[in-house]
Amino acid sequence: MPEIEDEKEASVGDLINQLVSLCSYLDKLYMQSHLIHLNIEGPLFFPLHEFYKEQYTSLVEEFDTLAEFVRSMDYLMPMCERGLNAACPKFNHVKSYDAREMSTTYLKNLEQCGMMAKEAVEIAREVEAPDVENALADTVKLCFKSSWMLKSTLRT
């Protein structure tokens, strides 16, 4: 009996769409972390202020790395914020200046971003893009390590 080859269900186009969506989410996380960094107040000001600075710095790098993969495969990124917004899945917005509430919203978004990156890893694996898979693993690590650190800080 002849072997039946497994057909790939994902395509490079699927990977590109996932990367653009993830980049749009990273962009929103960047701005959210930067604004929280500027507006945080309270007894945990110093550690949270520094944490959010590290976040927005890292998020810009993640965005750039993933967007460069999109370009390296000869696809275009959105040209402006409107295009990024159209590609962005549901994002939780901060509704309070309370440090705990801001951080809890950010935490939920970090975890959502990590899950999106995990989904993209699977697509990258399926289309045999180990370089993209590796970069996405770094995004997963950033999101879930940051989530753990923030949870631990908020438990005080």
Side-chain angles (χ1 to χ4, degrees):
M1 206 163 154
E3 286 186 37
I4 298 173
E5 288 187 37
D6 288 336
E7 289 189 36
K8 295 179 184 176
E9 291 185 27
S11 68
V12 171
D14 294 331
L15 179 59
I16 296 301
N17 288 335
Q18 191 73 13
L19 289 174
V20 172
S21 289
L22 190 53
C23 282
S24 70
Y25 208 88
L26 288 166
D27 181 63
K28 290 196 175 302
L29 269 178
Y30 158 79
M31 185 53 68
Q32 189 172 68
S33 62
H34 205 151
L35 292 171
I36 293 172
H37 163 82
L38 294 169
N39 288 309
I40 200 86
E41 293 182 338
L44 294 175
F45 171 79
F46 285 113
L48 286 176
H49 184 74
E50 187 59 33
F51 170 81
Y52 283 111
K53 182 176 184 175
E54 291 169 7
Q55 287 294 291
Y56 71 74
T57 302
S58 297
L59 290 165
V60 167
E61 290 176 22
E62 292 298 315
F63 177 95
D64 195 59
T65 297
L66 298 181
E68 286 176 356
F69 280 118
V70 171
R71 294 297 295 132
S72 75
M73 290 182 263
D74 207 24
Y75 287 82
L76 296 171
M77 287 294 294
M79 189 55 83
C80 65
E81 184 180 3
R82 179 179 283 177
L84 284 173
N85 286 341
C88 191
K90 185 179 182 304
F91 185 84
N92 297 304
H93 296 280
V94 172
K95 296 179 174 81
S96 168
Y97 283 94
D98 177 75
R100 182 171 297 280
E101 288 182 39
M102 285 191 285
S103 295
T104 299
T105 299
Y106 182 75
L107 171 65
K108 289 176 185 175
N109 286 332
L110 268 178
E111 290 177 340
Q112 177 61 31
C113 189
M115 294 307 292
M116 287 174 60
K118 284 184 177 189
E119 290 172 19
V121 164
E122 294 304 317
I123 297 171
R125 185 173 296 136
E126 196 167 327
V127 300
E128 299 175 359
D131 51 345
V132 179
E133 187 179 343
N134 187 49
L136 288 164
D138 290 341
T139 304
V140 171
K141 178 182 175 183
L142 169 70
C143 291
F144 287 109
K145 182 176 181 183
S146 299
S147 170
W148 158 65
M149 294 172 79
L150 193 51
K151 283 179 189 175
S152 294
T153 300
L154 294 174
R155 286 188 180 123
T156 60

